[in-house]
Amino acid sequence: MNLTLKVWRQKNIQDKGQFVTYQAKDIADDMSFLEMLDIVNDDLTRKGEDPIYFDHDCREGICGMCSLVINGRPHGPEYGTTTCQLHMRSFHDGQTIVIEPWRAAAFPVLKDLAVDRTSFERIQQAGGYVNVNTGGVPDANSIAIPKRIADEAFESATCIGCGACVAACKNASAMLFVSAKISQFALLPQGQTERYERAQAMVDQMDAEGFGNCTNTGACEAECPVGIKLTNIARMNREYFTAKLFREEDVHN
């Protein structure tokens, strides 16, 4: 198939940026979306032009690096699919595809389609860890946990930190991401030591990074490639309010 691409090009954080039109020719429908971009970049390189800059790593839907908004949707048109798992059979010959980066003040554009998501790392560093010594794997597995709780914690832990929830939210809220990281520890006995300090520290850091508040529209869950649930946000709010009311901690000491 032959496609018209309108790609956001931006030299650096200070640059204003603009959409530039490219032609993608002879694209097979069994190619991945990133393979298609690779072909376009090969053509640009042969012409002596600057290739399109975009993030990628595992190309298996695990690392969360492939952060593209495709025709207005984070990760593209397929539900529960990362950009690197998206195949060109989801498009048709002659189609125009608009490709742009995550749009959020807390995710400044580094170049073209790549954004700085180190704000997520700082949020996790604020409280996304466990200090309790659980020993080796056999020791940790010896702690009896109800299956329902273990399943919920595991589902929360599947968050890949891609930032699609932020890109989908009109307030650029990171609450789905933060709530998943809080939930994966709050549900398990190993995470109880820092439970209330964790909720306060991570929410405070989220606010400091400039993310917006939850819109309650559910766009984050709808666009999350691994299906993180909104119930995590409710749990995060309970953890935070409980900490403020009953277990206020000075998280900055």
Side-chain angles (χ1 to χ4, degrees), residues 6 99 129 158 170 172 232 251:
K6 292 187 176 181
I99 311 169
Y129 52 83
T158 60
K170 59 186 177 182
N232 287 290
V251 300

Side-chain angles (χ1 to χ4, degrees), residues 161-214:
C162 66
C165 51
V166 176
C169 180
K170 59 186 177 182
N171 284 353
S173 173
M175 290 185 75
L176 192 68
F177 163 76
V178 177
S179 65
K181 298 306 177 183
I182 288 176
S183 291
Q184 73 184 64
F185 295 119
L187 288 163
L188 299 176
Q190 297 94 332
Q192 300 309 303
T193 305
E194 299 94 3
R195 180 175 180 178
Y196 298 111
E197 181 180 345
R198 176 183 300 112
Q200 294 178 85
M202 294 183 75
V203 170
D204 288 351
Q205 187 63 42
M206 173 183 69
D207 292 340
E209 295 293 343
F211 292 103
N213 198 14
C214 179

